[in-house]
Amino acid sequence: MLGWSLIRVTGESMHPMLSPGTFALFRRSASYRDGDVLLVEHPRFGRIVKCAIDVGKGSLWLEGANANSLSRETMGPIEQRLVQGKLVYQIARKK
């Protein structure tokens, strides 16, 4: 899918915004803003979903929605070229 990624959320780091089992659709974008939920290919942690904070030219910082998420300092600054897309739609699992 050119420019699109569909994943199933597996961790708790974005709960309650995105719960485990939720299907999330991401689309590449020309730009990203603070607060965007992003799918990123992190060089150390692999494919992760986090909120963008401190978006600058060429790089940004990430933060989870859950207090148990990795800290922004642990993840470090991310090059925007590593962003695979921003969240455009989600389908929560039935309980």
Side-chain angles (χ1 to χ4, degrees), residues 6-9 17-25 87-94:
L6 177 65
I7 67 156
R8 184 172 185 201
V9 176
M17 186 182 295
L18 292 171
S19 298
T22 298
F23 286 94
L25 182 63
L87 182 68
V88 293
Y89 192 74
Q90 62 178 299
I91 302 169
R93 68 182 177 136
K94 291 185 178 183

Side-chain angles (χ1 to χ4, degrees), residues 24-76:
L25 182 63
F26 296 84
R27 184 175 186 190
R28 285 198 187 272
S29 178
S31 63
Y32 302 101
R33 300 183 307 196
D34 288 356
D36 284 344
V37 176
L38 304 178
L39 176 63
V40 175
E41 188 60 45
H42 193 283
R44 183 169 164 202
F45 300 107
R47 201 175 212 195
I48 59 174
V49 176
K50 303 288 182 199
C51 291
I53 54 174
D54 293 335
V55 176
K57 288 190 175 186
S59 68
L60 52 87
W61 289 79
L62 301 171
E63 183 173 76
N66 190 301
N68 293 328
S69 177
L70 294 170
S71 71
R72 64 187 278 177
E73 293 79 18
T74 300
M75 289 182 278

